[in-house]
Amino acid sequence: MSITGALSNAMQGLQAAGRGSEVIAANISNALTPGYGMRILELSSNASSTNGGVMISGVGRQMNDSLAQDKRLAEAANANASALHGIYTTIENIIGSPDEPTSITAQMAALETDLITAASRPDAPERLSAAVGSARNLANSFVKASKTLQEARTNADRTIGIQVDRLNSALSQVHSLNKMITKSQVQGNQNHALVDQRQMLIDEISVLVPVRTVPRDNGQVALYSSGGVILLDSTAAEVSFDKTNTVTPYHDVDAGTLSGITVNGYPIGTASDNGGLSGGSIAAQFKIRDDIAVEAQGQLDALARDLIERFQDPAVDLTLGATSPGLFTDNGGAFDPADEIGIARRLSLNAAVDPKQGGEAWRLRDGLLAASTGDVGDGAQLNRLVDALTLSRPSASGIFSGGMYSAIDLTSTITSHYAVKRDSAENTLSFNAAQVSELTERLLGDGVDSDQELQKLMLVEQAFAANARMLQTVDELMQTVLGL
């Protein structure tokens, strides 16, 4: 080999070593960067030179696309499960168990206890006042629970609006990156950073709506939802949703009082299990707004109706007429079975027995419409109130319609129903979280291995030193020749 050939090969080797160290440094610094694909320096022999040598062919990007796809779908399922677990936990807490003082179950048990206590000493004003206080607290707990459910629906509606805006923005950015990647590829430039950025956006989109990527010409990709909706292919789809400021028990998507979702102007099913955009965070918010919270409100209304009807019966309070409101009222009036929706939020204590509304606690003992006090030692009326609360009667509405329940049994049954729902949601969330964790570890394992990159760096250092030694040797030879 000539001195010129040796010098050329050494210079090529130094260039390859320098580029290799840059690639290794980029890999190590981005080892935990989301969407980053490991860079690989591609080298080949310099066939164009009679002296051989090394040539830098380019820098490749390595990513396990199949594993990345599985991870995206798992993250979407996890986001969906997390939102559903949250709403079931909220519902379980507001209905609650007897050991939670602010729960409806505990307030119902407190009313029963205080009525029994008052019936044992009907002449004791403080016992009557305590029973009235328990009844007021129970009514207030229904109102608070109903407000909490409607706030959950309102928040879900607001979250859908925010997430749809983010979805549109991300789709537009992926579309722009598609064009930039194509332009870069046509010009023969490296576009790995653009692909990384696109990967991050696709991962973000998939949490909102699970998507699958389909390769297109010139480095572009198309995005399809798992439900078959085209979100990006040549152009980005326009997803539309109209937010509602406040959601009430009367708002319903089927009645047109709540917005559904459209893609390029076409309505898309919002069912969490089989809708066009099912499986992700957006679908979970629709399920909360249109299914879970609506059902829970229905059970709460059924429970409130049962409570009102128990004490509205003239056989329980002999002073009442056929249309008179009982101990618990529908916003001060008698309950109308045709107007059950939202009754839990309108539930109130009859003003006749509530000192805070100008009433008198003794009417709990003598009758709601009694004009004056009767025999202070007569506990018959209070005993009838206790019997009304503990009587097993058929539930007129709700998921347990037709069954025979006392008030406390009906409350406990509904509590158990949502405890099972919450437990199931928790198990699903745990499974999905474990799946995301496992896939993340596997993806990281297939990605940048810092130890392996450091080993590569040591080899690069050795190659650099060898080529530097070659240059030094060539220099010594040149000095020798010049000295002859």
Side-chain angles (χ1 to χ4, degrees):
M1 178 183 293
S2 65
I3 293 177
T4 303
L7 180 62
S8 174
N9 286 352
M11 291 298 297
Q12 292 174 20
L14 288 175
Q15 290 176 351
R19 189 64 181 277
S21 63
E22 291 178 4
V23 170
I24 292 171
N27 283 338
I28 293 175
S29 62
N30 291 282
L32 298 178
T33 301
Y36 180 79
M38 184 174 67
R39 308 298 196 256
I40 299 176
L41 182 63
E42 298 173 346
L43 302 174
S44 61
S45 61
N46 190 354
S48 63
S49 173
T50 57
N51 297 309
V54 66
M55 182 175 65
I56 299 174
S57 302
V59 178
R61 179 180 183 272
Q62 179 176 297
M63 171 68 74
N64 189 328
D65 293 330
S66 177
L67 198 58
Q69 176 69 59
D70 290 342
K71 179 175 175 288
R72 281 197 296 267
L73 295 177
E75 288 176 334
N78 189 60
N80 185 284
S82 178
L84 298 185
H85 175 260
I87 186 61
Y88 281 126
T89 299
T90 298
I91 295 171
E92 184 184 20
N93 288 339
I94 61 177
I95 299 176
S97 58
D99 57 351
E100 297 169 350
T102 59
S103 68
I104 292 177
T105 307
Q107 299 292 345
M108 191 80 75
L111 175 60
E112 182 179 341
T113 299
D114 288 343
L115 284 175
I116 293 173
T117 302
S120 67
R121 280 288 307 279
D123 60 319
E126 68 279 4
R127 297 193 179 191
L128 295 175
S129 296
V132 169
S134 292
R136 185 191 305 113
N137 291 338
L138 178 58
N140 291 339
S141 66
F142 271 93
V143 174
K144 182 180 179 180
S146 182
K147 287 182 178 180
T148 300
L149 286 174
Q150 299 317 310
E151 287 172 0
R153 296 185 71 199
T154 300
N155 290 336
D157 188 272
R158 185 182 300 116
T159 301
I160 293 169
I162 294 172
Q163 292 182 345
V164 165
D165 289 343
R166 181 55 193 147
L167 176 61
N168 283 321
S169 175
L171 288 172
S172 177
Q173 291 178 67
V174 172
H175 176 57
S176 297
L177 285 169
N178 267 344
K179 293 190 292 185
M180 294 170 66
I181 289 169
T182 296
K183 181 178 179 181
S184 177
Q185 187 167 305
V186 170
Q187 293 175 346
N189 300 324
Q190 294 287 347
N191 54 27
H192 300 321
L194 297 175
V195 175
D196 287 343
Q197 187 176 354
R198 185 178 66 185
Q199 179 72 37
M200 291 177 61
L201 287 168
I202 294 175
D203 288 346
E204 183 179 351
I205 289 170
S206 193
V207 172
L208 303 175
V209 178
V211 295
R212 294 190 178 276
T213 59
V214 179
R216 293 290 188 251
D217 294 337
N218 299 317
Q220 297 198 13
V221 295
L223 299 180
Y224 291 80
S225 76
S226 57
V229 177
I230 302 173
L231 296 177
L232 174 67
D233 198 354
S234 299
T235 60
E238 180 64 30
V239 184
S240 300
F241 174 80
D242 296 324
K243 290 180 283 189
T244 303
N245 292 329
T246 303
V247 180
T248 71
Y250 303 100
H251 281 87
D252 182 80
V253 66
D254 293 331
T257 50
L258 287 176
S259 173
I261 202 165
T262 62
V263 176
N264 292 331
Y266 294 95
I268 300 297
T270 56
S272 178
D273 299 328
N274 55 11
L277 304 181
S278 63
S281 179
I282 290 179
Q285 298 302 322
F286 272 110
K287 188 172 182 66
I288 290 171
R289 191 196 70 173
D290 300 332
D291 296 327
I292 297 175
V294 172
E295 182 197 89
Q297 180 66 55
Q299 304 318 309
L300 202 61
D301 288 341
L303 191 59
R305 172 182 180 173
D306 178 80
L307 186 64
I308 292 175
E309 290 181 334
R310 285 177 183 275
F311 297 102
Q312 191 172 279
D313 187 351
V316 174
D317 186 335
L318 303 182
T319 66
L320 297 180
T323 59
S324 301
L327 180 61
F328 294 99
T329 72
D330 181 356
N331 205 21
F335 171 67
D336 180 359
D339 189 22
E340 182 177 332
I341 297 177
I343 183 63
R345 192 163 185 171
R346 305 191 304 269
L347 184 68
S348 63
L349 179 63
N350 196 311
V353 299
D354 190 0
K356 291 188 176 182
Q357 301 181 67
E360 299 288 349
W362 55 260
R363 288 196 175 91
L364 197 65
R365 177 193 62 216
D366 297 322
L368 294 174
L369 299 183
S372 60
T373 59
D375 182 358
V376 297
D378 186 1
Q381 172 64 32
L382 291 169
N383 285 322
R384 285 193 293 271
L385 294 177
V386 173
D387 291 341
L389 195 62
T390 58
L391 174 69
S392 292
R393 63 190 296 271
S395 177
S397 58
I399 56 176
F400 304 107
S401 176
M404 302 292 289
Y405 302 95
S406 67
I408 191 68
D409 287 343
L410 182 59
T411 307
S412 298
T413 302
I414 294 176
T415 300
S416 298
H417 172 75
Y418 282 105
V420 171
K421 293 274 191 180
R422 192 267 310 154
D423 186 63
S424 176
E426 187 171 323
N427 290 336
T428 301
L429 177 60
S430 297
F431 172 81
N432 288 329
Q435 189 177 39
V436 170
S437 177
E438 177 65 23
L439 290 171
T440 300
E441 289 184 10
R442 289 179 58 189
L443 195 60
L444 289 174
D446 285 353
V448 177
D449 185 334
S450 298
D451 292 338
Q452 189 177 41
E453 293 300 305
L454 290 173
Q455 292 175 9
K456 290 180 182 178
L457 186 59
M458 293 175 65
L459 295 175
V460 168
E461 289 175 351
Q462 293 174 8
F464 189 91
N467 285 286
R469 178 58 181 162
M470 175 63 75
L471 287 177
Q472 183 180 3
T473 301
V474 169
D475 180 65
E476 292 173 353
L477 289 173
M478 292 294 292
Q479 293 297 331
T480 301
V481 171
L482 292 173
L484 292 176

